[in-house]
Amino acid sequence: MSARVVFLGTPLFAVPSLDALGRLAERGVLEIAAVVTQPDRRGDRGRIAVPPVKERALALSLPVLQPGRFERASIAELTRLDPDLLVWSAYGNLIPRALLEAVNGRAVNVHASLLPRWRGAAPVARAIIAGDHETGVTLMEGTAELDAGPILAQERTAIGDTEDAGALTARLGLMGAALLERELPRYVAGALSGHAQDEALAMYAPKMTTADGALDFARPAEELARRVRACTPDPGAFTMFRGQRLVVTTASVTGGTPVEHGVVRVRDGLPHVAAGAGWLRLDAVRRAGKRTMTGAEWARGTRGLDGVRVPS
């Protein structure tokens, strides 16, 4: 008899995991009783943003629930579905103990880091900022505590030298889904058990905010380039230029004669900013309300750029 599963997830990262469950359902390993995702939100210019997981669930003709928060009524609604198992991936909220108790603790979480390193909301960005050379995905037994459950399986991967958070998140989403599809049948059958995380190695990855994107040119260029990658596409790395926010979407490290940090030099048609060590070349930027352009385009269209300081 197949297990009845409730899946919880919200962003694009979670969509491949939902697809993996769909394939397992086709094989008769499980039945998807419902998909739970965050409510639709008002996005840019007042448009309603629908969670990617909701879009995919509807395309698969699966029932969708969108509780704003887990309260007694929403928990009761889920328990009436009589699930045997919870599976979640980047849902966006902690799973309440009452819901875990309803499935006798049978729960699996797909997480985008090599736990116990980088528990929390922004594991991919924090790994890039820290200069980690590798990351991966973890399949763990879900608990009411933040990313603290027993580890069921892991897959490792190198972080590319130019890979930004968006590209790495997408790649890890596929890796996590493949791991889930491979290992979940064993978990359902009772043939897969986990081992406890080493709490001494736990590190936390708080949600990225706009402030995390501010570029401090007193810092080394290597560190700034990592911050640009970590903040792309969101929340965006930036500096202020002539009173307006300038988002840096792609940057690289170059050498050059040291000068006071924050000074801009146009070299070979490209804008370079002196950092605390080395130079940060602005390969692609976006001015407030404008499209993303190459650094060369920005340099050509900006008068008096050579020699100015940022932020300004």
Side-chain angles (χ1 to χ4, degrees), residues 120-131:
V124 175
R126 298 298 175 183
I128 293 173
I129 288 175

Side-chain angles (χ1 to χ4, degrees), residues 5-119:
V5 175
V6 167
F7 178 74
L8 305 96
T10 300
L12 277 172
F13 172 82
V15 171
S17 289
L18 176 57
D19 286 338
L21 293 184
R23 291 189 292 272
L24 290 174
E26 291 176 354
R27 288 162 44 191
V29 174
L30 54 84
E31 173 190 355
I32 304 175
V35 173
V36 182
T37 189
Q38 293 290 313
D40 299 353
R41 308 288 188 192
R42 193 167 296 281
D44 295 339
R45 299 177 183 176
R47 290 177 294 187
I48 299 299
V50 177
V53 162
K54 177 182 178 179
E55 291 183 334
R56 185 60 180 150
L58 293 176
L60 294 172
S61 300
L62 295 171
V64 175
L65 302 174
Q66 294 179 275
R69 60 193 333 185
F70 281 120
E71 297 175 331
R72 183 177 300 177
S74 55
I75 293 173
E77 185 177 16
L78 284 172
T79 56
R80 280 196 295 270
L81 295 172
D82 195 25
D84 303 303
L85 174 68
L86 303 178
V87 176
W88 69 84
S89 173
Y91 172 59
N93 277 334
L94 289 174
I95 308 303
R97 196 174 304 276
L99 195 53
L100 290 165
E101 290 173 351
V103 293
N104 298 312
R106 301 278 288 169
V108 173
N109 181 7
V110 181
H111 185 73
S113 82
L114 296 173
L115 291 170
R117 187 171 178 84
W118 305 129
R119 296 175 178 177

Side-chain angles (χ1 to χ4, degrees), residues 35-242:
V35 173
V36 182
T37 189
Q38 293 290 313
D40 299 353
R41 308 288 188 192
R42 193 167 296 281
D44 295 339
R45 299 177 183 176
R47 290 177 294 187
I48 299 299
V50 177
V53 162
K54 177 182 178 179
E55 291 183 334
R56 185 60 180 150
L58 293 176
L60 294 172
S61 300
L62 295 171
V64 175
L65 302 174
Q66 294 179 275
R69 60 193 333 185
F70 281 120
E71 297 175 331
R72 183 177 300 177
S74 55
I75 293 173
E77 185 177 16
L78 284 172
T79 56
R80 280 196 295 270
L81 295 172
D82 195 25
D84 303 303
L85 174 68
L86 303 178
V87 176
W88 69 84
S89 173
Y91 172 59
N93 277 334
L94 289 174
I95 308 303
R97 196 174 304 276
L99 195 53
L100 290 165
E101 290 173 351
V103 293
N104 298 312
R106 301 278 288 169
V108 173
N109 181 7
V110 181
H111 185 73
S113 82
L114 296 173
L115 291 170
R117 187 171 178 84
W118 305 129
R119 296 175 178 177
V124 175
R126 298 298 175 183
I128 293 173
I129 288 175
D132 291 0
H133 295 295
E134 71 169 0
T135 185
V137 289
T138 298
L139 202 67
M140 70 178 137
E141 196 157 39
T143 66
E145 291 73 36
L146 180 65
D147 300 331
I151 293 172
L152 299 168
Q154 290 184 320
E155 289 284 350
R156 311 176 86 89
T157 186
I159 298 176
D161 291 340
T162 61
E163 200 167 23
D164 64 32
L168 181 55
T169 297
R171 191 158 65 84
L172 292 176
L174 294 173
M175 286 181 60
L179 188 63
L180 179 68
E181 187 170 357
R182 187 182 79 209
E183 300 294 344
L184 189 62
R186 296 178 59 214
Y187 184 81
V188 169
L192 178 64
S193 58
H195 64 272
Q197 297 185 35
D198 186 344
E199 291 297 323
L201 300 178
M203 295 186 69
Y204 289 87
K207 181 179 178 179
M208 297 290 285
T209 68
T210 299
D212 287 308
L215 296 173
D216 177 1
F217 291 103
R219 307 300 303 167
E222 288 277 1
E223 181 181 316
L224 295 173
R226 292 199 304 269
R227 188 164 294 273
V228 169
R229 290 164 48 215
C231 293
T232 301
D234 294 307
F238 69 93
T239 189
M240 299 302 294
F241 180 70
R242 294 175 181 169

